[in-house]
Amino acid sequence: MNPTPGLAPSPAAPPAELLRRTLRRHPSGVTVVTVPGPAGFTATSFTSVSLDPALVSFYVSSGASTAPAVRSAEVFAVHLLGAGQERVARAFARSGVDRFADAEWTATAEGLPLLTGVPAWLTARPVRLQPIGDHLLVVGRVLTAGGPATGAPLIHHDGGFGTLAAATGPIGDTRR
């Protein structure tokens, strides 16, 4: 008996392949994480952790070319990409190239690259770095944020990029 209609069980596949195949069905917001250097990469693993204190997190592959810069960074920025910024997402996902060559950005006093033209961004100071499997978990305390916060987000789904319409309003009062 198939417990989930529409999904055929595939016990013969290795767990990594099962995870990859399953998570392709989960849409994720697309971000670019930057650190002084400059260094940066495209990430879909960004999430909020806590409101009080204000904490966020992301993962980076331990073998990524940017991993050493992330490990040593005293500050990082997360840029939430919007519809029409697929080129930025692809540029920061490439290996072996200067990811900042065609990017528009400015540097903070700490040398942190901030991409211009993104709907929203924030900066954070790392408070925890934890190896998890073949990735490094980075948790940071939010320092600053900015951007116009308008427009539809860029999302990653089923191996490609897309967008969705803006929400019509809040789902409910989350302060209860």
Side-chain angles (χ1 to χ4, degrees):
M1 178 173 143
N2 186 1
T4 308
L7 293 177
S10 46
E17 179 56 32
L18 292 173
L19 180 62
R20 183 178 293 114
R21 191 176 345 158
T22 301
L23 290 184
R24 287 178 66 92
R25 305 303 315 146
H26 178 71
S28 302
V30 182
T31 67
V32 169
V33 176
T34 59
V35 297
F41 62 98
T42 299
T44 57
S45 62
F46 173 71
T47 190
S48 64
V49 174
S50 169
L51 291 175
D52 188 16
L55 300 173
V56 295
S57 71
F58 65 87
Y59 288 88
V60 61
S61 173
S62 298
S65 61
T66 55
V70 170
R71 277 190 198 95
S72 65
E74 293 183 13
V75 65
F76 64 85
V78 179
H79 307 83
L80 284 64
L81 301 187
Q85 293 187 308
E86 181 179 333
R87 181 187 62 74
V88 175
R90 289 189 187 282
F92 278 86
R94 294 183 57 198
S95 294
V97 299
D98 178 0
R99 296 172 179 155
F100 289 88
D102 294 325
E104 293 182 32
W105 60 283
T106 60
T108 67
E110 296 172 303
L112 179 63
L114 293 179
L115 301 180
T116 58
V118 297
W121 56 266
L122 60 81
T123 65
R125 190 159 314 284
V127 296
R128 179 177 207 98
L129 282 77
Q130 177 72 45
I132 306 282
D134 60 0
H135 279 65
L136 176 68
L137 166 64
V138 178
V139 178
R141 183 181 292 258
V142 174
L143 301 171
T144 62
T150 59
L154 183 65
I155 61 170
H156 188 258
H157 179 257
D158 203 18
F161 293 105
T163 191
L164 51 86
T168 57
I171 294 172
D173 186 354
T174 60
R175 295 172 288 175
R176 293 182 199 175

